[in-house]
């Protein structure tokens, strides 16, 4: 115990006992109290440190346990052991293979064995250099290598925009602005071919023919294209150049439009829709003609193209290309500057001798082919009808006089006379509800004109009637040689009073009519005035109003100018 106290005293810092007046026992007692206090303080601090270290060890053990659970140390150890065993097996096999090769190979002089440290450094240097080389190659050529990587094609579906009047008008204007350079170029070429400016066309003809004679036609055209691009570059840089290769043709300019009202905007949309309709119609006609030309729809036209291609093929195989280019260049110049000018100036000459023009105009479109097919079928049916009538007529004298009319009526409907019932109804013009003359109680000779074979969809507005069911009726309007016929879509039989028949000679006035005055344009109706009606009848909501008005007015004037009134049907 004395030794322990001495050791503690040695570790404790020396503390001098103050000199207190009194006995020496009191002084020793004070020094002992100080010693016990310091030892207690030291023990307390040591215990606190031990507790803290114990807590930190517990925390470390907990973290180590969690880390082992997360990383699956045991499974990794097992995999590592398996890989080591595999490596050992591979090393053994490699050693066996090397031994067999050494035994089979002739003896070689011993080589100096390098120390393992040198082999390791060499391998490290090689790996470093190879990694640097790969990095340099990827930095230099990685972009180009990525371009050749095969990837599956992505099918992207473009979102279609909803129909908008503003967008439709804007797109039509964009199309017009985008096509203006092409149309101007073609118009200027046409002016050059038509000798609009005699001096310019003469100079161009002399230069072109001289270039074609010396074999410089293609270089001259390429030079003109380069010159045009150079002028466009100067114009884009701000230069004001009004010169063109071909003469400029002045075109009418539209006056600028200010703010439009609602009706004017509606009319603008109708104009745009009409232009789009006409444009699509022209494009469809061109494509259908080209398709019909190559599909032998009209053999006469396709045969000419077939023979021309064979002649061109044989000529290209026999003649040298230099001579062919010379001939084609001369022909193109003469055709463009002389032949086209003569054909455009003399239309009759063009109709007789311009073979490409004749072939192109003779090519039919799909609607024209359909009309031709229908006309052919109707002619065949009419011929069968005549044959059936001729076959049945010899039997007429054998009949009694009272049965003559019934026999003539039934001769076209019976099978022995050469026609079935369906063929007979197809030979005459028929509507959805029966034969045309039966629907309107007219003579059989009264049939719709060719211009309105299928009729015009419209609505009849009878302003003399007050009931809604009689005021407006939907149906189809027909015009014959002597009558204007309206077939109501709500009529259930041929004897219905909802159908309307008007004699052309009874019409006192015919005009274009606008049902709603607030709508733009000239309207979509036709007004017909007759003595039997107080207010004119109106045929409204007609899409092809102008076509119908022209047909009705033409037939009306034809009837009114004849000397004899038309024969009326006895109903």
């Amino acid at each position: 115990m004395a030794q322990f106290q001495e050791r503690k005293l040695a570790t404790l810092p020396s503390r001098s006992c103050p000199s207190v007046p009194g006995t020496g026992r009191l002084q020793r007692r004070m020094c002992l109290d100080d010693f016990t206090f310091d030892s207690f303080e030291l023990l307390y601090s040591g215990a606190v440190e031990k507790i803290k270290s114990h807590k930190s060890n517990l925390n470390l053990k907990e973290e180590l346990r969690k880390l082992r659970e997360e990383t699956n140390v045991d499974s990794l150890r097992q995999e590592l052991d398996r890989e080591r065993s595999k490596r050992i097996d591979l090393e053994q096999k490699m050693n066996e293979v090397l031994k067999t090769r050494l035994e089979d190979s002739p003896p070689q002089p011993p080589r100096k064995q390098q120390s393992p440290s040198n082999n390791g450094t060499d391998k490290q240097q090689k790996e470093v250099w190879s990694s640097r080389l790969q990095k340099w190659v990827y930095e230099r050529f990685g972009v180009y290598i990525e371009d050749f990587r095969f990837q599956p094609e992505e099918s992207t579906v473009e979102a279609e925009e909803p129909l908008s009047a503003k967008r439709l008008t804007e797109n039509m204007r964009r199309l017009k602005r985008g096509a203006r350079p092409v149309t101007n170029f073609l118009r200027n070429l046409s002016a050059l071919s038509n000798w609009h400016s005699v001096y310019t066309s003469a100079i161009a003809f002399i230069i072109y023919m001289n270039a074609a004679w010396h074999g410089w036609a293609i270089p001259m055209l390429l030079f003109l294209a380069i010159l045009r691009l150079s002028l466009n570059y100067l114009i884009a840089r701000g230069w004001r150049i009004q010169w063109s290769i071909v003469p400029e043709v002045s075109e009418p300019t539209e006056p600028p439009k200010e703010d439009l009202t609602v009706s004017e905007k509606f009319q603008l949309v109708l104009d745009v829709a009409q232009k789009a309709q006409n444009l699509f119609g022209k494009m469809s006609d061109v494509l259908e003609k080209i398709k019909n030309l190559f599909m032998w729809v009209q053999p006469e036209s396709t045969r000419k193209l077939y023979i021309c291609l064979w002649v061109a093929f044989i000529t290209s195989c026999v003649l040298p290309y230099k001579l062919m280019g010379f001939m084609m260049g001369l022909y193109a110049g003469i055709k463009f500057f002389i032949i086209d000018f003569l054909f455009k100036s003399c239309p009759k000459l063009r109709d007789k001798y311009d073979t490409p023009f004749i072939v192109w105009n003779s090519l039919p479109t799909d609607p024209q082919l359909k009309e031709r097919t229908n006309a052919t079928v109707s002619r065949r049916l009419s011929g069968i009808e005549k044959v059936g009538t001729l076959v049945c007529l010899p039997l007429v004298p054998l009949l009694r006089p009272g049965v003559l009319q019934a026999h003539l009526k039934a001769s076209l409907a019976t099978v022995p006379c050469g026609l079935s019932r369906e063929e007979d109804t197809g030979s005459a013009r028929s509507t959805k509800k029966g034969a045309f003359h039966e629907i309107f109680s007219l003579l059989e000779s009264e049939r719709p004109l060719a211009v309105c074979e299928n009729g015009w969809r419209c609505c009849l507005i009878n302003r003399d009637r007050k009931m809604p069911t009689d005021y407006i009726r939907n149906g189809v309007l027909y015009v014959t040689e002597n009558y204007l016929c309206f077939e109501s879509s709500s009529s259930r039989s041929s004897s219905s009073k909802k159908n309307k028949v008007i004699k052309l000679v009874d019409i006192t006035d015919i005009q274009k009519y606008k049902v709603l005055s607030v709508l733009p344009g000239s309207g979509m109706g036709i007004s017909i005035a007759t003595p039997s009606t107080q207010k004119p009848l109106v045929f409204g909501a007609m899409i092809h109003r102008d076509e119908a008005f022209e047909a009705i007015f033409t037939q009306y004037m034809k009837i009114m100018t004849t000397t004899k009134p038309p024969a009326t049907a006895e109903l």
Side-chain angles (χ1 to χ4, degrees):
M1 186 70 183
Q3 293 178 357
F4 177 74
Q5 289 180 356
E6 290 178 359
R7 193 161 50 249
K8 292 292 183 182
L9 288 174
T11 57
L12 291 175
S14 61
R15 179 181 296 184
S16 61
C17 295
S19 60
V20 181
T23 60
R25 184 181 294 175
L26 180 60
Q27 186 176 2
R28 284 193 299 273
R29 184 65 180 270
M30 292 175 65
C31 290
L32 184 59
D33 292 339
D34 292 338
F35 173 74
T36 54
F37 179 78
D38 292 338
S39 61
F40 178 74
E41 183 179 1
L42 182 61
L43 290 173
Y44 177 75
S45 62
V48 170
E49 292 293 335
K50 286 182 180 181
I51 291 170
K52 289 182 178 180
S53 63
H54 184 66
K55 285 184 178 181
S56 62
N57 291 334
L58 290 176
N59 293 332
L60 291 175
K61 289 180 180 180
E62 185 68 21
E63 292 179 359
L64 182 60
R65 186 179 62 79
K66 291 181 179 179
L67 184 63
R68 287 177 179 176
E69 291 178 357
E70 292 177 355
T71 56
N72 297 324
V73 178
D74 296 336
S75 61
L76 293 176
R77 283 179 180 176
Q78 292 177 2
E79 291 181 0
L80 183 61
D81 294 337
R82 287 196 295 269
E83 293 295 331
R84 284 177 181 174
S85 62
K86 289 180 181 179
R87 183 178 61 81
I88 292 171
D89 294 338
L90 290 174
E91 288 181 354
Q92 291 178 357
K93 291 180 180 179
M94 289 293 295
N95 292 330
E96 291 177 358
V97 171
L98 291 174
K99 286 181 181 179
T100 54
R101 288 185 178 180
L102 290 174
E103 290 176 357
D104 296 338
S105 63
Q108 296 180 356
R111 297 180 180 178
K112 295 182 179 179
Q113 296 182 356
Q114 297 179 354
S115 60
S117 61
N118 294 334
N119 293 332
T121 55
D122 293 340
K123 289 182 180 180
Q124 291 179 358
Q125 289 179 358
K126 289 180 180 179
E127 291 177 357
V128 170
W129 281 107
S130 62
S131 62
R132 289 181 180 179
L133 180 62
Q134 291 178 0
K135 185 177 180 181
W136 181 83
V137 171
Y138 183 78
E139 289 177 354
R140 295 286 182 179
F141 306 102
V143 179
Y144 307 102
I145 295 173
E146 290 292 334
D147 294 339
F148 289 95
R149 179 176 294 179
F150 292 97
Q151 294 180 355
E153 185 177 358
E154 298 179 357
S155 58
T156 57
V157 179
E158 297 182 358
E160 296 184 356
E161 297 183 1
L163 181 62
S164 173
K166 183 178 180 181
R167 181 57 60 88
L168 177 62
T169 308
E170 182 183 354
N171 290 340
M172 287 299 297
R173 289 176 179 173
R174 288 173 55 196
L175 178 63
K176 185 177 180 181
R177 288 195 300 267
R180 186 175 299 168
V182 179
T183 55
N184 288 340
F185 179 73
L186 295 177
R187 189 182 295 112
N188 292 332
L189 280 180
S190 178
L192 188 65
S193 175
N194 295 336
W195 295 73
H196 180 79
S197 176
V198 180
Y199 298 104
T200 306
S201 298
I203 293 171
F205 176 69
I206 294 171
I207 293 175
Y208 177 81
M209 294 303 293
N210 188 22
W213 183 265
H214 293 87
W216 288 86
I218 295 178
M220 185 195 69
L221 297 177
L222 295 176
F223 174 74
L224 291 177
I226 294 171
L227 182 60
R228 181 72 261 183
L229 287 177
S230 303
L231 292 176
N232 292 340
Y233 172 76
L234 295 177
I235 293 172
R237 298 289 293 178
W239 289 45
R240 294 183 179 180
I241 301 175
Q242 301 296 332
W243 181 80
S244 179
I245 299 174
V246 293
E248 295 287 345
V249 179
S250 60
E251 58 181 13
T253 58
E254 298 179 357
K257 296 181 180 181
E258 300 178 353
D259 296 336
L260 302 176
T261 60
V262 177
S263 61
E264 290 176 347
K265 290 181 180 178
F266 187 74
Q267 184 64 35
L268 180 62
V269 173
L270 292 180
D271 294 340
V272 171
Q274 183 179 5
K275 291 180 180 178
Q277 172 186 337
N278 298 335
L279 178 62
F280 293 153
K282 292 179 181 178
M283 294 172 62
S284 301
D285 291 343
V286 172
L287 295 176
E288 288 174 357
K289 284 187 175 184
I290 295 174
K291 184 256 296 183
N292 294 333
L293 175 63
F294 286 96
M295 294 303 296
W296 293 83
V297 175
Q298 189 169 351
E300 297 82 7
S301 302
T302 311
R303 190 180 298 111
K304 294 178 181 178
L305 176 63
Y306 189 73
I307 294 172
C308 290
L309 290 176
W310 270 110
V311 172
F313 172 72
I314 296 172
T315 306
S316 64
C317 294
V318 174
L319 298 179
Y321 287 102
K322 187 175 181 180
L323 181 59
M324 284 188 61
F326 171 74
M327 294 171 60
M328 292 173 62
L330 288 180
Y331 174 74
I334 296 172
K335 178 77 168 57
F336 183 79
F337 287 100
I338 298 177
I339 298 176
D340 288 347
F341 173 71
L342 293 176
F343 283 156
K344 290 178 182 178
S345 301
C346 306
K348 294 182 179 180
L349 193 65
R350 184 175 192 176
D351 294 338
K352 290 182 179 180
Y353 301 105
D354 192 359
T355 305
F357 177 78
I358 296 171
V359 170
W360 179 257
N361 288 337
S362 63
L363 288 172
T365 59
D366 290 350
Q368 292 175 353
L369 287 174
K370 189 175 181 181
E371 292 178 0
R372 291 182 184 178
T373 305
N374 294 335
T376 304
V377 172
S378 63
R379 284 197 299 269
R380 289 178 180 176
L381 292 175
S382 62
I384 295 173
E385 180 181 355
K386 292 178 181 179
V387 172
T389 306
L390 293 174
V391 171
C392 294
L393 283 177
L395 301 176
V396 173
L398 301 177
L399 300 174
R400 291 177 296 176
V403 194
L404 176 61
Q405 186 177 1
H407 178 75
L408 288 174
K409 186 175 181 180
S411 61
L412 298 178
T414 55
V415 175
C417 293
L419 271 180
S420 64
R421 184 64 184 170
E422 296 179 356
E423 292 176 347
D424 179 53
T425 55
S427 62
R429 181 68 184 96
S430 61
T431 61
K432 295 181 179 179
K433 303 178 181 62
F436 183 83
H437 65 281
E438 295 177 357
I439 291 293
F440 299 102
S441 301
L442 300 175
L443 293 176
E444 191 175 355
S445 60
E446 292 291 338
R447 297 182 182 181
L449 300 179
V451 70
C452 65
E453 186 177 359
N454 297 322
W456 299 293
R457 297 290 303 178
C458 64
C459 63
L460 173 59
I461 303 174
N462 191 351
R463 293 183 291 179
D464 293 341
R465 304 295 180 91
K466 295 182 179 180
M467 294 298 294
T469 55
D470 296 333
Y471 184 78
I472 298 178
R473 283 176 286 173
N474 295 323
V476 183
L477 181 65
Y478 301 93
V479 58
T480 65
E481 293 183 358
N482 303 305
Y483 294 93
L484 189 65
C485 305
F486 176 78
E487 181 186 4
S488 177
S489 59
S490 59
S491 61
R492 297 182 180 178
S493 63
S494 60
S495 61
S496 177
K497 296 181 180 180
K498 293 184 178 182
N499 293 336
K500 192 74 175 178
V501 179
I502 303 172
K503 293 182 180 181
L504 293 178
V505 294
D506 293 343
I507 296 176
T508 58
D509 186 24
I510 176 172
Q511 293 180 359
K512 294 182 180 180
Y513 188 76
K514 188 175 182 181
V515 180
L516 298 176
S517 59
V518 296
L519 293 178
S522 58
M524 300 173 66
I526 299 175
S527 66
I528 304 293
T530 60
S532 62
T533 57
Q534 297 179 359
K535 296 180 181 180
L537 298 174
V538 176
F539 298 94
M542 300 180 68
I543 299 177
H544 304 284
R545 193 275 306 273
D546 295 336
E547 178 185 355
F549 179 82
E550 187 69 23
I552 297 171
F553 188 78
T554 302
Q555 188 65 22
Y556 170 73
M557 294 302 297
K558 182 179 178 181
I559 292 295
M560 296 303 293
T561 52
T562 55
T563 56
K564 295 182 180 181
T568 59
E570 296 180 2
L571 305 178

